[in-house]
Amino acid sequence: MEPPPPPEEQMSAVTLTSDGPPPASAPRRTLIRSIVARPDGGLGLVGSKVTVGGMVKTGREQGKGSFAFLEVNDGSYLDSLQVIVDSSVADLGRLVLTGTSVLVEGELKKTPDGTKQPVELRVERVLDVGSVDPSKYPIPKTKLTLEFLRDFVHLRARTNTISAVTRIRDELAFATHTFFRENGFRYVHTPIITTSDCEGAGEMFQVTTLFSDADKLEREIKENPPPSEDEIEAAKILVKEKGEAVSHLKSIKASKADIGASVSLLTSAKENLARLEERFKLKAGIAQKDGKIDYSCDFFGRQAFLTVSGQLQVETYACALGNVYTFGPTFRAEHSHTSRHLAEFWMIEPEIAFADLQEDMYYAESYVRFLCQWLLDHCLRDMEFMVKNYDKTAIDRLQLVASTPFERLSYTDAIKLLESVTDRKFENKVKWGIDLASEHERYLTEVVFKKPVIVYNYPKGIKAFYMRLNDDDKTVAAMDVLVPKVGELIGGSQREERYDVLVQRIQEAGLPLEPYEWYLDLRRYGTLKHSGFGLGFERMILFATGLDNIRDVIPFPRYPGRADL
């Protein structure tokens, strides 16, 4: 069920009162959603004077050019509003072109019986027009492929598909904050620039000013060359001479004024020598020390990267505030061109204080089910569009996940089950110790259990160093939430709270201890059991919409070779 649109009285001007300063002017533009999404289709607003603005989806002149029909959409809702403009009001030729933006004022009228939309807008004034050259406009009303639209990322939001995806994305973001707020979590902004590699994979974008500093230095040296050795020697001789002059004045007990003036000249000569010596050391290129890049000369005085996860940092707040979460962009410099990978993507990462793996799985399942129900309750019209155009099972899948408890089984049991499969030939061989591939995950969710599955207790060799080592010394308290269509949607674990074990795990991963000293402090000082997980936001949108490529569910996709805008 769609949420109710704003009530009719909210469309009218704000009433001024005599108490205090007057309020700001009421918005003059009425959102099309507040008209067409009403249960009565807008009939209750017939006779109202409104101003609407949006893009012309389609337009056509009728009655031998005496009037025109426009389908205007402002992005607030999937459906457009039919607008009728008489030729006496405006030049119809400018208005009917697809892609034209219009701001019009008029009266809502009831349409004839049998018409698709119950109301239409009869325009009385055209307030603004943003014209379009149809010979050059790259987003015509003909159907375009999503791959084609990626070349026009700055314009693709004007299409029905991308605007619907954007509204679904917005609803999922709002639902995320709603879920965690209702469950007592605090929202923490973790750093985008970090010196820690959370995943230990090393596929990180480096943040540095060394290259720009080197370019700047090279230009400076070219424009103002460093001094020669002869100039340095001359400056040293001058300092010596000025020093001897001061000594001489002192020896003859000259006046304070004369000695002070001589000391001033000596000081000036020394400062000039220091400047010359500093410039003499300048060398083009990136600073090096012992044959390696000298990161002490970098902006942060050490190596820094774009984060692959905010988890380690948000743990610091979980150990102080209790349940917390972070929701922000993350980055991975992985040269992957698959339909499931981006170089920049968004992650939701809650961290739960005093929680074990069971509680972690509980929150992960509750969160996913909450998101699915939220879309059914608040974004059904856009989901119906996805069903009609991309995935006939999208709404059924949301209903299934929202209403069905997730299956839970250990990694070992999952491997045994997959090894017994006879009706399917997997491309990736199944054996204990492998990281489950997407085909394995989807087989479990779509064929075996026909619902979401949580697999837990993975081999320690395929999981990150911060996951708690189980008593068997072979597995860690990790879990993945697998869903139909996508496979892995969530990865999480109970964190290793034992200092000695965590140190050993970091070393086994081949990572230096120094960057993680602050992380180890959480175990040195009042360590506590805690758990958390991460949900890839774009994967959740893929799961919800049924689209095939992750590049189509993020506003500005970044992947190898592409970082438009």
Side-chain angles (χ1 to χ4, degrees):
M1 181 179 71
E2 294 285 349
E8 181 180 350
E9 57 267 20
Q10 290 183 9
M11 298 169 60
S12 58
V14 175
T15 303
L16 299 179
T17 65
S18 58
D19 298 329
S25 300
R28 66 172 178 172
R29 185 168 71 91
T30 297
L31 295 180
I32 288 174
R33 181 181 183 280
S34 67
I35 301 171
V36 302
R38 291 169 59 94
D40 63 1
L43 288 173
L45 301 176
V46 168
S48 300
K49 295 290 183 71
V50 298
T51 300
V52 299
M55 310 294 295
V56 175
K57 290 286 188 177
T58 63
R60 65 187 189 280
E61 294 186 44
Q62 297 283 296
K64 297 182 179 180
S66 61
F67 66 94
F69 286 109
L70 310 177
E71 293 294 326
V72 177
N73 190 282
D74 64 0
S76 64
Y77 198 63
L78 181 66
D79 298 331
S80 301
L81 177 67
Q82 181 166 282
V83 173
I84 300 178
V85 189
D86 289 331
S87 58
S88 59
V89 175
D91 176 8
L92 303 183
R94 293 183 64 204
L95 300 180
V96 297
L97 300 175
T98 296
T100 301
S101 70
V102 295
L103 182 67
V104 295
E105 180 184 88
E107 183 178 344
L108 291 172
K109 300 280 190 178
K110 185 179 183 301
T111 57
D113 293 339
T115 308
K116 181 180 178 181
Q117 206 169 73
V119 297
E120 61 191 10
L121 181 65
R122 297 292 181 93
V123 174
E124 296 170 353
R125 284 199 306 160
V126 175
L127 305 176
D128 201 7
V129 178
S131 57
V132 163
D133 181 348
S135 66
K136 297 180 180 179
Y137 185 56
I139 312 293
K141 59 186 177 183
T142 54
K143 190 169 183 178
L144 303 168
T145 66
L146 295 176
E147 184 177 9
F148 172 84
L149 290 174
R150 288 175 216 143
D151 290 331
F152 300 94
V153 70
H154 58 299
L155 297 173
R156 68 176 185 166
R158 302 181 183 194
T159 64
N160 286 340
T161 297
I162 301 301
S163 63
V165 168
T166 303
R167 287 186 293 269
I168 290 170
R169 185 185 178 98
D170 171 66
E171 289 292 346
L172 286 172
F174 188 80
T176 291
H177 292 299
T178 302
F179 173 82
F180 289 114
R181 168 68 60 163
E182 291 180 355
N183 283 276
F185 285 70
R186 290 293 181 181
Y187 180 28
V188 178
H189 298 146
T190 50
I192 290 175
I193 298 174
T194 180
T195 56
S196 302
D197 182 358
C198 177
E199 299 299 325
E203 296 172 331
M204 304 176 76
F205 288 103
Q206 191 162 340
V207 177
T208 179
T209 59
L210 289 175
F211 294 99
S212 57
D213 288 347
D215 289 341
K216 182 179 178 181
L217 178 60
E218 188 174 350
R219 289 194 301 270
E220 184 180 338
I221 290 175
K222 188 174 182 181
E223 295 170 2
N224 186 15
S228 64
E229 291 185 6
D230 289 342
E231 289 174 298
I232 296 291
E233 190 60 33
K236 287 180 178 179
I237 292 172
L238 182 61
V239 168
K240 182 180 180 181
E241 290 175 351
K242 297 300 180 185
E244 291 172 347
V246 170
S247 299
H248 174 68
L249 290 173
K250 288 181 177 179
S251 68
I252 64 174
K253 297 181 179 180
S255 67
K256 288 184 178 181
D258 289 344
I259 293 174
S262 185
V263 168
S264 179
L265 292 173
L266 172 60
T267 301
S268 178
K270 286 181 176 179
E271 290 175 349
N272 180 59
L273 173 60
R275 285 193 296 269
L276 291 174
E277 287 179 328
E278 186 67 26
R279 287 193 55 77
F280 183 74
K281 296 176 184 177
L282 293 179
K283 293 182 180 180
I286 295 175
Q288 292 195 341
K289 184 177 182 180
D290 299 329
K292 297 181 180 179
I293 294 175
D294 185 3
Y295 286 104
S296 67
C297 298
D298 208 348
F299 187 90
F300 295 107
R302 60 191 299 182
Q303 278 187 287
F305 308 91
L306 295 180
T307 183
V308 298
S309 168
Q311 177 213 310
L312 300 188
Q313 288 85 357
V314 87
E315 281 187 51
T316 67
Y317 276 76
C319 294
L321 273 67
N323 296 354
V324 294
Y325 73 105
T326 183
F327 182 4
T330 51
F331 308 84
R332 189 156 302 177
E334 184 177 1
H335 287 276
S336 174
H337 292 271
T338 75
S339 61
R340 291 291 185 271
H341 290 88
L342 289 167
E344 176 184 299
F345 52 98
W346 286 65
M347 290 282 289
I348 296 99
E349 297 173 293
E351 204 67 30
I352 313 150
F354 301 102
D356 60 13
L357 186 63
Q358 293 298 319
E359 193 169 351
D360 197 35
M361 291 190 283
Y362 165 81
Y363 274 109
E365 176 176 341
S366 299
Y367 173 46
V368 173
R369 293 177 65 178
F370 184 90
L371 292 180
C372 292
Q373 189 61 53
W374 185 277
L375 288 182
L376 294 170
D377 292 341
H378 296 84
C379 214
L380 189 58
R381 184 71 185 92
D382 287 315
M383 287 305 308
E384 289 171 342
F385 173 83
M386 292 298 162
V387 167
K388 180 181 178 181
N389 293 277
Y390 294 99
D391 185 351
K392 290 181 171 56
T393 64
I395 289 178
D396 292 339
R397 190 166 56 248
L398 291 180
Q399 291 171 334
L400 169 71
V401 175
S403 61
T404 308
F406 294 6
E407 186 71 28
R408 298 187 186 187
L409 77 161
S410 70
Y411 170 88
T412 298
D413 288 341
I415 290 295
K416 289 178 181 178
L417 192 156
L418 291 168
E419 285 177 331
S420 67
V421 170
T422 58
D423 64 340
R424 177 75 60 88
K425 179 73 172 176
F426 294 119
E427 292 183 11
N428 298 276
K429 186 178 179 181
V430 178
K431 64 177 181 178
W432 201 95
I434 67 163
D435 200 359
L436 295 179
S438 179
E439 60 175 336
H440 305 140
E441 296 167 342
R442 294 187 63 176
Y443 187 86
L444 291 172
T445 58
E446 296 172 11
V447 179
V448 179
F449 296 105
K450 295 182 171 59
K451 62 178 180 178
V453 177
I454 303 180
V455 177
Y456 60 91
N457 287 349
Y458 279 80
K460 68 176 183 179
I462 61 174
K463 289 297 182 180
F465 67 87
Y466 52 76
M467 298 183 177
R468 195 183 198 279
L469 188 64
N470 287 326
D471 293 340
D472 61 10
D473 202 36
K474 296 193 306 180
T475 63
V476 289
M479 64 89 182
D480 287 342
V481 177
L482 315 179
V483 294
K485 179 72 178 180
V486 170
E488 181 189 341
L489 181 62
I490 282 178
S493 73
Q494 183 176 335
R495 314 312 189 190
E496 182 56 75
E497 85 282 7
R498 297 165 294 184
Y499 173 83
D500 293 340
V501 178
L502 183 58
V503 169
Q504 181 181 347
R505 293 279 287 146
I506 293 174
Q507 292 173 333
E508 287 176 353
L511 299 171
L513 286 176
E514 189 275 331
Y516 300 99
E517 284 298 328
W518 64 269
Y519 190 63
L520 291 168
D521 276 351
L522 301 179
R523 279 70 180 172
R524 289 188 181 103
Y525 311 126
T527 187
L528 59 98
K529 178 171 62 177
H530 59 287
S531 300
F533 61 83
L535 177 141
F537 195 47
E538 283 72 30
R539 287 201 173 193
M540 180 64 207
I541 303 170
L542 278 183
F543 166 74
T545 60
L547 294 181
D548 293 323
N549 199 307
I550 202 166
R551 299 170 184 176
D552 302 320
V553 298
I554 190 168
F556 304 99
R558 272 85 174 94
Y559 48 95
R562 295 296 291 267
D564 299 337
L565 278 64

